[in-house]
Amino acid sequence: MDLVGDLLARDRRTRDTALGTPDGRERTYHDLITNGYKAANVLRYLGVRGGATVAVDPTPGFHTTLAFLGAAAVGAPVRFDPEAGIEAGDRVVLAPVATAADLDPAPGTNLAAFGGSPERADTTHWEQELWSENPGTPPSEVGPADAAIVGPNREFSHRELCSLAAAAVEEARLNEGTRVVLRRPFSDPPAVAAGLVAPLSVGGTAVLASPRADGEADDDADEPRGDVAVAPADVAVPEPRCVDPASLASAAE
């Protein structure tokens, strides 16, 4: 797999669980992929084309995951920093409704909000557009060398993210019966590769937990969980294995 958008292939739409979110809900591969198409088409409606950057809130969740996958499908790199996206004049900025209310987009930047109906008329209601959008496969021309994430220090291409994901699959022996719990924000690209792209690439389940602050200790020091933790489907926390995204990134350099 050389493209993040390959995760949305139509033949992968099964009833197996693909995603768990911090609110306790689970989505199947059918739900995730179908809504990923819709997210891609909402972004296209808002003017996103290949190479146009989309700024997205970094908190792991259903809508931020859809925005990332949808942007990848149309060849748009994602910056997981809405305020920086406003300053950079990114084509679309997507944030929670409370955050979006305080953002002042420049001309040419479309602001979208999720988590409720925005008060300002110039802000797109993300969920409303998503649920009404066509679930058809969006047209795109994306190459492995194209940027997928604009990180705080550098860009990560589709090939790099997929390579990091493949390394995580091999190191942690991930398969379709594996749960991977991600406890890092999406602003950490290697963690996105190991904690989201990797399990989805093999038909496993990515479980998005509330991110921990840098340096925050586990609740129980005798049972460390890790920022990217791995367990068979029938094992509850604490998970028995961990993946270190930073080590994967260092090994790939």
Side-chain angles (χ1 to χ4, degrees), residues 156 164-165 167-168 171 180-185 188-196 212 226-229 242-253:
F156 286 76
L164 289 172
E171 177 179 315
V180 178
V181 182
L182 176 61
R183 299 186 176 93
R184 291 289 297 165
D188 182 342
V192 173
L196 179 65
R212 298 184 300 182
D227 290 332
V228 179
C242 297
V243 176
D244 182 1
S247 296
L248 292 178
S250 297
E253 293 177 352

Side-chain angles (χ1 to χ4, degrees), residues 56-136:
V56 178
D57 183 80
T59 306
F62 182 52
H63 291 295
T64 52
T65 298
L66 292 182
F68 169 55
L69 296 178
V74 299
V78 171
R79 185 196 317 275
F80 286 107
D81 187 339
E83 291 189 4
I86 288 288
E87 294 175 1
D90 291 345
R91 192 69 183 91
V92 171
V93 173
L94 175 66
V97 65
T99 301
D102 295 328
L103 297 176
D104 185 19
T109 296
N110 287 312
L111 181 61
F114 63 90
S117 179
E119 294 182 2
R120 287 160 40 186
D122 62 351
T123 301
T124 298
H125 188 179
W126 174 260
E127 289 101 326
Q128 180 175 294
E129 295 297 330
L130 187 74
W131 305 143
S132 63
E133 186 52 75
N134 180 358

Side-chain angles (χ1 to χ4, degrees), residues 5 9 15 17 36 38 41 46 57 69 106 111 129 131 135 149 162 169 202 210 217 225 232 241 251:
R15 295 297 178 186
T17 301
K38 290 186 173 188
N41 288 320
L46 293 174
D57 183 80
L69 296 178
L111 181 61
E129 295 297 330
W131 305 143
I149 294 180
C162 291
V169 168
V202 295
S210 297
R225 297 182 177 185
R241 302 196 306 278

Side-chain angles (χ1 to χ4, degrees), residues 127-218:
E127 289 101 326
Q128 180 175 294
E129 295 297 330
L130 187 74
W131 305 143
S132 63
E133 186 52 75
N134 180 358
T137 308
S140 65
E141 294 184 4
V142 189
D146 294 341
I149 294 180
V150 179
N153 300 313
R154 68 177 183 90
E155 295 182 349
F156 286 76
S157 69
H158 286 258
R159 181 183 290 116
E160 287 179 289
L161 288 182
C162 291
S163 178
L164 289 172
V169 168
E170 181 176 0
E171 177 179 315
R173 304 184 300 279
L174 306 184
N175 56 43
E176 66 276 4
T178 310
R179 291 169 58 254
V180 178
V181 182
L182 176 61
R183 299 186 176 93
R184 291 289 297 165
F186 283 169
S187 50
D188 182 342
V192 173
L196 179 65
V197 177
L200 293 180
S201 72
V202 295
T205 302
V207 180
L208 307 179
S210 297
R212 298 184 300 182
D214 290 335
E216 182 180 346
D218 292 299

